[in-house]
Amino acid sequence: MMENKLAVIAITITNTESIERVNAILHDFRDNVLGRMGIPLQDRGVSVISIILDAPQESINSLSGKLGMLDGVNSKVLTAK
């Protein structure tokens, strides 16, 4: 069994057409999500979402990779030691 890690994924979305797909991907990983905060910055044309996860490294990487493949979506991972 793989060891779970705590991680934060910071997501920025500049293409509003990708928001629905981002939410669908996050829903797929809902069992690993401890918390979520989203801030729409409409005056800047960007939405920022932070996700706190308790998951195996493979799942964290998979989630970040799927998000990063979407148009106008950028994600960065910070993993606790």
Side-chain angles (χ1 to χ4, degrees), residues 18-34:
S18 294
I19 291 174
E20 189 173 322
R21 186 68 187 123
V22 167
N23 284 321
I25 292 169
L26 293 176
H27 181 76
D28 291 343
F29 287 83
R30 67 190 175 277
D31 291 339
N32 299 114
V33 174
L34 297 177

Side-chain angles (χ1 to χ4, degrees), residues 15 33 41 53:
N15 180 354
V33 174
L41 301 167
L53 299 167

Side-chain angles (χ1 to χ4, degrees), residues 5-23:
K5 297 189 178 226
L6 287 176
V8 176
I9 299 182
I11 306 161
T12 57
I13 306 168
T14 56
N15 180 354
T16 57
E17 293 180 8
S18 294
I19 291 174
E20 189 173 322
R21 186 68 187 123
V22 167
N23 284 321

Side-chain angles (χ1 to χ4, degrees), residues 3 7 12 18-19 24 26-27 30 34 36 44 46-47 54-55 64-66 70 75 77 81:
E3 178 183 337
T12 57
S18 294
I19 291 174
L26 293 176
H27 181 76
R30 67 190 175 277
L34 297 177
R36 171 183 172 159
R44 295 187 180 193
V46 64
S47 293
D54 182 8
S64 181
K66 288 179 181 188
L70 299 175
S75 68
V77 177
K81 291 184 179 184

Side-chain angles (χ1 to χ4, degrees), residues 42-59:
Q42 294 172 345
D43 59 326
R44 295 187 180 193
V46 64
S47 293
V48 180
I49 302 172
S50 61
I51 306 294
I52 301 170
L53 299 167
D54 182 8
Q57 188 68 50
E58 184 177 293
S59 293

